[in-house]
Amino acid sequence: MKNVIFVLAFLLGNLCLVFSQLIPASNISTGFDAMSNISQLPILHPFGTATKQFSSFDESGNNNDGITQKAFTKYIDEKAELVIFDESGPGCLFRQQMNVWANWDEVTIPKEEWNTARIKYYFDDEAEPKIDMAMSDLFRCKTNPFTAPLCFIDSTNISGKDVNRFAVMYYPFTFSKRLKVTITPLVVRKDFGHTWYQYTYLTYPKDKKIDSWKGVGENSDKVRNQWKNMGKDPKDSKNNIRITKTISVPKGKQKTIVDLKEKGSIASLKFHLTPFTKETFYNTNIKIFWDDNPIPAVDLPLAYLFGGGGKDFDCSNDVWQKTLTTLLFGFDSKKGDFYTYWPMPYWNAAKIVIENNSTENITNFSCELETKSSKILD
């Protein structure tokens, strides 16, 4: 399994919401500031903030998202440009995924057409775009500052030919009043079958002042450094309290490995599992209880929580033997290790229970946990 650049996981979404609290609109961080400030993930933005995703789609339900007029294009503007994104601000476009290079029927789109296509970004109703680039240049990660690790293009070999399938970019574009994205020239108006795109972004309360993207000079060093050091905690670990414990868990049994009192926040969790097998990987559950609630907020197999997916998928025979390294979680089958750096705050108590539902005895389950004390949080 390849190291992934960034994973927007949803497994702990409910956990974060439970412990979220509203913050004043004046304290909103966005763009690169928001991306680098992992510690604020559990905190809700003020009322009126919305997470949105726009995607090309075939309204007929035939999954032919490349039909120009019915799927790929929102509308054609006064300049005869194909508009694929148009949103009022204040907001920030965080994620773009573009698949325009190859069809699912394994036919490559003619290079002369997409190589001449340009993508343009208009901010705040300005007459001229701040970005006007060849589509292939923007998404091939070769033009600064739109480079790795903030973007990547996926490719595969089909019938002896290298084919680019899709590209993803996590370079944030903030906009104060409006952001419109278009494609030209009209040669791209023909239908390209199963091509598509997705945009994921936030819009903020109308009274919030957000500065529009200033251009290629914006400093992205902190985010890039975090993403180049995956496997290490991207948050500030100063004043963390470290706790270690090792237990054994017979098959069919469960044991408490962590029981914390008073206000705090779990900053990181690292586990070691022996034996690390397909049985223990998919059938050992982690339960996390917050604030003396008898119902666990998290009750998942280790495989699910740390990025290995479910045992019922065909690929499960291979996945448990792999290594996954992402910004916030991962596992290493050769070492038998797991890690997660999601910030997990609690008001007065946190308990972690390991439940062995496998057919094997767990002879060694080690935990290395780091917390932020209530004094640091306050």
Side-chain angles (χ1 to χ4, degrees), residues 103-108 156-163 165:
N103 290 332
W104 290 113
D105 59 6
E106 302 182 359
V107 178
T108 304
T156 190
N157 190 281
I158 298 176
S159 301
K161 179 184 294 186
D162 288 331
V163 176
R165 296 191 298 178

Side-chain angles (χ1 to χ4, degrees), residues 203-318:
T203 57
Y204 302 106
K206 295 298 182 182
D207 60 350
K208 173 59 183 176
K209 187 181 186 310
I210 298 280
D211 292 330
S212 291
W213 183 62
K214 294 181 174 62
V216 297
E218 283 197 354
N219 191 328
S220 59
D221 290 349
K222 186 173 182 179
V223 173
R224 291 179 187 273
N225 289 334
Q226 287 176 327
W227 290 14
K228 289 177 181 178
N229 290 280
M230 290 184 297
K232 298 180 180 179
D233 194 343
K235 308 184 304 300
D236 183 4
S237 60
K238 184 179 179 180
N239 297 318
N240 281 5
I241 299 171
R242 184 170 174 266
I243 301 170
T244 61
K245 187 175 181 180
T246 300
I247 60 174
S248 60
V249 189
K251 58 186 178 182
K253 302 295 184 180
Q254 65 177 27
K255 288 187 178 181
T256 298
I257 193 167
V258 174
D259 194 357
L260 305 173
K261 302 299 181 182
E262 300 184 353
K263 177 182 176 182
S265 178
I266 295 176
S268 68
L269 277 174
K270 295 179 181 178
F271 295 147
H272 175 80
L273 173 65
T274 303
F276 191 106
T277 65
K278 181 179 179 181
E279 261 293 304
T280 57
F281 184 72
Y282 288 111
N283 295 295
T284 301
N285 273 40
I286 177 174
K287 297 181 177 181
I288 304 179
F289 301 81
W290 306 115
D291 306 322
D292 298 317
N293 191 325
I295 300 174
V298 175
D299 187 356
L300 292 168
L302 294 176
Y304 284 54
L305 187 61
F306 293 93
K311 61 183 177 181
D312 296 327
F313 290 100
D314 293 338
C315 62
S316 63
N317 288 326
D318 294 324

Side-chain angles (χ1 to χ4, degrees), residues 311-342:
K311 61 183 177 181
D312 296 327
F313 290 100
D314 293 338
C315 62
S316 63
N317 288 326
D318 294 324
V319 168
W320 76 269
Q321 302 178 75
K322 302 294 184 179
T323 296
L324 174 70
T325 306
T326 79
L327 186 69
L328 294 176
F329 58 84
F331 65 90
D332 186 336
S333 63
K334 293 182 179 179
K335 295 180 179 179
D337 293 343
F338 303 84
Y339 73 88
T340 177
Y341 299 123
W342 289 97

Side-chain angles (χ1 to χ4, degrees), residues 131-195:
I131 298 175
D132 182 354
M133 294 177 59
M135 177 86 75
S136 57
D137 288 344
L138 179 63
F139 287 102
R140 290 181 190 272
C141 314
K142 295 181 179 180
T143 305
N144 286 322
F146 313 115
T147 55
L150 301 181
C151 70
F152 70 92
I153 187 164
D154 178 84
S155 62
T156 190
N157 190 281
I158 298 176
S159 301
K161 179 184 294 186
D162 288 331
V163 176
N164 295 316
R165 296 191 298 178
F166 65 88
V168 180
M169 184 163 66
Y170 289 102
Y171 189 100
F173 294 111
T174 54
F175 51 100
S176 175
K177 298 178 181 178
R178 184 186 183 190
L179 174 59
K180 183 174 75 169
V181 182
T182 70
I183 296 175
T184 59
L186 292 183
V187 66
V188 301
R189 288 181 61 183
K190 67 174 292 185
D191 296 338
F192 288 120
H194 298 289
T195 60

